[in-house]
Amino acid sequence: MTHHEHPDAALVRQGYEAFSKGDMEALGALLTSDCTHHAPGTTRFGGHFKGRDNVLGMYRDMVEYTGGTFRVELDGVFADGRGHVISTHKWFAEHGDRGIEMRGALFFTLVGGKASDIDECVEDIAELDAFMSLDD
């Protein structure tokens, strides 16, 4: 069987690659200027981040909070051919003497070959909040 990846799935893979390399310029080029990332939880990393600069700023803050240890292993990318993509992954991070490992997923809405909306889901919101609020 031949696997032909849909262009929308390829775009999401490019985003994961750019994030993994810390290439926020390349990642930003894949987002609309008015994109929104909806993140779960009640910490400063949870909520609705509107606009490319705010989304990228949240990503930078998360990398800084985890001392550069934040990393993601992409599991799967699934496109519907109508501008929606779901990705599944496992992410890992450390802060101080504490570490976390969690499965998650992102639901992308794409417009004009760029992500305009990203909805994030995680395996355990309470654990996420506990980890992301260690300094509070």
Side-chain angles (χ1 to χ4, degrees), residues 37-41 70 89 91 100 102-106 119-129:
H37 183 124
H38 309 276
F70 192 97
H89 57 259
W91 60 273
I100 191 169
M102 188 175 295
R103 292 181 301 171
L106 298 174
D119 285 291
E120 181 178 357
C121 297
V122 295
E123 186 172 43
D124 187 331
I125 295 172
E127 183 180 353
L128 169 74
D129 277 348

Side-chain angles (χ1 to χ4, degrees), residues 68-91:
T69 64
F70 192 97
R71 66 183 174 86
V72 178
E73 291 179 0
L74 184 60
D75 179 50
V77 180
F78 312 96
D80 71 355
R82 297 184 319 264
H84 302 107
V85 176
I86 294 174
S87 62
T88 58
H89 57 259
K90 187 180 283 187
W91 60 273

Side-chain angles (χ1 to χ4, degrees), residues 42-112:
T42 59
T43 71
R44 65 184 169 133
F45 301 106
H48 307 286
F49 298 87
K50 297 179 182 183
R52 180 188 303 127
D53 291 342
N54 290 327
V55 171
L56 294 174
M58 185 266 289
Y59 296 162
R60 285 185 191 100
D61 289 348
M62 197 167 36
V63 170
E64 182 180 320
Y65 177 81
T66 62
T69 64
F70 192 97
R71 66 183 174 86
V72 178
E73 291 179 0
L74 184 60
D75 179 50
V77 180
F78 312 96
D80 71 355
R82 297 184 319 264
H84 302 107
V85 176
I86 294 174
S87 62
T88 58
H89 57 259
K90 187 180 283 187
W91 60 273
F92 309 82
E94 296 175 10
H95 183 80
D97 62 353
R98 179 130 186 256
I100 191 169
E101 174 181 320
M102 188 175 295
R103 292 181 301 171
L106 298 174
F107 180 84
F108 295 86
T109 300
L110 305 178
V111 175

Side-chain angles (χ1 to χ4, degrees), residues 5-54:
E5 185 166 58
H6 191 276
D8 292 346
L11 178 118
V12 168
R13 282 187 195 281
Q14 289 173 355
Y16 272 84
E17 289 171 17
F19 183 88
S20 293
K21 293 177 183 174
D23 188 346
M24 294 298 160
E25 185 175 330
L27 184 57
L30 303 175
L31 306 174
T32 62
S33 63
D34 62 347
C35 70
T36 302
H37 183 124
H38 309 276
T42 59
T43 71
R44 65 184 169 133
F45 301 106
H48 307 286
F49 298 87
K50 297 179 182 183
R52 180 188 303 127
D53 291 342
N54 290 327

